[in-house]
Amino acid sequence: MNKNSVFFDDDLNYLRKSLIEHPLYNSMENLSDIKKFMEVHVYAVWDFMSLVKNLQMNLTCISTPWIPSENSLTARLINEIVWGEETDIDKNKVAKSHFEMYLDSMNEIGANTNKIGNLIELVKQGKDIFKIIQNQDISDEIKDFLNFTFSVIKNNKVHVTAAVFTFGREDLIPNMFIEIVRKIKLENKSVESLIYYLERHIEMDGDHHGPMAMNMIESLCENNDNKIKEALDSSKLALKKRIKLWDYIYQQIK
């Protein structure tokens, strides 16, 4: 990701650094800690997919009769990202979304997937997402995180959605976390799916999706000062919400 971009200012860089160096990572010492982390982090993995699909809805044609996209470059970028996020290949060479891979990892280590599973079932029934979130038996920090994401989607400013998507991706999880999980693997072979997910997601985000996402947001902001400010402000707020989520997990582990 190009750190010289207009979208990186001191505040944004500080927030990203705060997340990457968050004490949460070093606080995880065993499988129980990893379970606590995953049972909260799974909501960020899930709502990330909603940001991706909202961008695809806005930047490509997903209705019939088909009409050409107004911007073929952004359409190509988001379609490539969707292809990788929604239909990647798991460690057994089976096509799956990264969210489904994450659920497999949770089940493998014995983490509780009942709450996120219940949320998905309610979504399938077509219920209002904000009411679903409000009625979930989850912490206020998770609710706040989800409400922010779906408020961004509801407001439907595509340059803002692209910014929140771009700066809230999994490249915020440092390689240090993978090393911690690897140490736990020495005692628990059940974290192999999690290691595959982390390595796959970080590899795709850093080497491929990161530069693509930056190109997309810069194209959508069109060198418009107002759009750039809206995108930056929303990105910072998204990072603050993630920090609050990390603070919550950190307290649970401590």
Side-chain angles (χ1 to χ4, degrees):
M1 196 181 275
N2 178 16
K3 298 297 191 296
N4 295 320
S5 166
V6 66
F7 294 100
F8 285 91
D9 65 8
D10 289 344
D11 290 339
L12 188 76
N13 285 329
Y14 174 78
L15 289 167
R16 283 177 57 80
K17 188 171 183 286
S18 297
L19 267 168
I20 292 169
E21 298 178 357
H22 197 286
L24 166 66
Y25 299 111
N26 277 325
S27 72
M28 287 184 272
E29 298 176 347
N30 52 51
L31 203 60
S32 176
D33 294 341
I34 296 293
K35 288 179 186 179
K36 290 175 183 175
F37 172 79
M38 295 186 76
E39 287 167 2
V40 176
H41 179 231
V42 66
Y43 291 95
V45 176
W46 173 69
D47 80 344
F48 174 83
M49 292 303 302
S50 293
L51 289 167
V52 174
K53 297 303 287 185
N54 181 259
L55 286 169
Q56 188 182 36
M57 288 169 60
N58 277 295
L59 299 175
T60 70
C61 180
I62 57 168
S63 60
T64 54
W66 178 86
I67 56 173
S69 168
E70 292 182 8
N71 186 328
S72 294
L73 173 61
T74 55
R76 178 182 175 85
L77 291 173
I78 194 61
N79 276 335
E80 283 200 40
I81 291 171
V82 169
W83 178 76
E85 296 290 343
E86 195 172 34
T87 52
D88 199 7
I89 302 296
D90 72 4
K91 67 184 178 71
N92 298 315
K93 307 303 179 186
V94 176
K96 282 186 180 178
S97 68
H98 282 184
F99 173 72
E100 291 168 300
M101 287 186 204
Y102 200 82
L103 288 183
D104 288 345
S105 301
M106 291 180 71
N107 287 322
E108 193 173 73
I109 71 169
N112 192 329
T113 60
N114 291 338
K115 290 182 179 180
I116 187 66
N118 173 258
L119 185 151
I120 297 294
E121 287 305 312
L122 292 173
V123 170
K124 287 180 182 178
Q125 295 171 24
K127 297 184 183 295
D128 178 78
I129 185 59
F130 294 102
K131 290 181 180 177
I132 293 174
I133 294 167
Q134 184 57 40
N135 293 326
Q136 287 292 295
D137 179 24
I138 52 180
S139 72
D140 289 340
E141 289 82 0
I142 299 174
K143 289 180 179 180
D144 189 41
F145 183 85
L146 293 175
N147 278 323
F148 170 75
T149 296
F150 287 99
S151 293
V152 167
I153 290 170
K154 184 178 180 181
N155 289 337
N156 207 33
K157 291 186 175 182
V158 67
H159 59 288
V160 170
T161 307
V164 170
F165 161 80
T166 298
F167 292 109
R169 296 180 351 273
E170 296 308 325
D171 67 341
L172 293 169
I173 294 180
N175 289 327
M176 175 184 71
F177 181 53
I178 298 180
E179 294 306 317
I180 291 169
V181 177
R182 282 203 186 102
K183 289 178 184 176
I184 293 172
K185 180 187 173 183
L186 297 176
E187 302 171 12
N188 303 276
K189 292 184 179 179
S190 61
V191 296
E192 287 177 354
S193 290
L194 174 59
I195 290 173
Y196 179 87
Y197 165 85
L198 290 167
E199 289 180 338
R200 183 70 176 160
H201 214 140
I202 292 171
E203 173 193 357
M204 292 181 74
D205 272 354
D207 297 341
H208 196 50
H209 291 176
M212 289 169 66
M214 280 306 302
N215 287 337
M216 179 173 61
I217 183 178
E218 288 177 353
S219 176
L220 291 170
C221 284
E222 305 171 315
N223 287 320
N224 180 296
D225 288 343
N226 186 52
K227 286 186 176 182
I228 290 171
K229 184 179 186 306
E230 285 184 332
L232 255 177
D233 289 347
S234 297
S235 300
K236 292 172 190 175
L237 189 51
L239 292 174
K240 288 175 182 175
K241 299 292 183 184
R242 177 73 77 113
I243 289 170
K244 281 182 65 178
L245 203 62
W246 264 210
D247 289 344
Y248 167 71
I249 305 173
Y250 182 53
Q251 291 304 319
Q252 295 300 305
I253 290 175
K254 282 183 68 180

